[in-house]
Amino acid sequence: MKEAFFARCLFFLTGILVLSLGITLTIKGQVFGVGSWDVLHIGLAKTFGLTIGTWSILIGLAILAFDMFFTKKFPLPGTFIDMFLAGIFIDIFNYWIPDIDGFWMQLFAYISGLILLGWGCGMYMVANLGIGPRDTLMLLMVHKLGWSVTRSRTTMEVTVAILGFLLGGPIGIGTALMAFGLGPIVQFALTFNEKLFLKWTGVKSAVV
């Protein structure tokens, strides 16, 4: 029992670190455009001030309010932990990692970030300690509309990218790539980490 709880905490915290690093790397590879949510966060930061991580937290709070309205359920404590830690880690990584110059280095940063972001999402979701607001919204679409993770994530990413662009956020080919490519990565990472968690603990941790 203790081993299973330790595994959940490890998957949860490691996943948040990985996805936060992934988000930061995609921002550093901004010549290709950033992820949909960061188009929105950067647009808000440019328009109203505050940091990208702070806007990530504030948007997360708004999404949780929306989710609670439809589900009539209060999120698990881990959801709030994820929201605040991700926002803080994004700002920390963004400060620590220097700006990246050059086409190929930015391409490497972007692709690495995309993979890490998707993998981190799938990893921490398996812990089942509470998922982040954006993934809560994604799963709400899965459960209420009967859509797959890929379809739900893609629809969400495209919608948010449009809103962020209208607020002045940067959009590029990388934004479209993330909108359509992140869902399959999350799906694969979720399946892989569920099997890994089951093998390690003997406990099934199905999220969707």
Side-chain angles (χ1 to χ4, degrees), residues 42-69:
I42 292 172
L44 288 168
K46 286 182 176 180
T47 304
F48 302 105
L50 303 179
T51 65
I52 296 173
T54 299
W55 279 112
S56 176
I57 294 171
L58 293 176
I59 293 298
L61 287 171
I63 293 173
L64 287 183
F66 179 83
D67 183 71
M68 285 188 287
F69 176 79

Side-chain angles (χ1 to χ4, degrees), residues 23-24 26-27 34-43 52 56 90 117 160 169-170 178:
I23 290 172
T24 305
T26 60
I27 293 173
V34 296
S36 301
W37 287 103
D38 292 309
V39 174
L40 179 60
H41 300 153
I42 292 172
I52 296 173
S56 176
I90 288 169
L117 172 54
V160 170
M178 185 171 291

Side-chain angles (χ1 to χ4, degrees), residues 2 61 70 77 94 101 124 127-128 139 163 189:
K2 289 182 179 180
L61 287 171
F70 280 96
N94 204 31
D101 297 320
Y124 90 87
N128 206 19
L139 292 182
L163 292 174

Side-chain angles (χ1 to χ4, degrees), residues 57-86:
I57 294 171
L58 293 176
I59 293 298
L61 287 171
I63 293 173
L64 287 183
F66 179 83
D67 183 71
M68 285 188 287
F69 176 79
F70 280 96
T71 64
K72 310 300 181 183
K73 296 179 181 179
F74 193 79
L76 293 172
T79 297
F80 292 96
I81 294 173
D82 166 82
M83 179 178 61
F84 284 104
L85 284 182

Side-chain angles (χ1 to χ4, degrees), residues 5 10 18 54 63 72 90-91 109 131 133 138 147 150 152-153 172 174-175 178 192 194 197 202:
F5 179 73
L10 183 61
V18 170
T54 299
I63 293 173
K72 310 300 181 183
I90 288 169
D91 281 344
I131 58 177
M138 177 187 70
W147 291 359
T150 297
S152 299
R153 188 84 192 201
T175 306
M178 185 171 291
F192 179 90
E194 280 184 329
F197 186 87

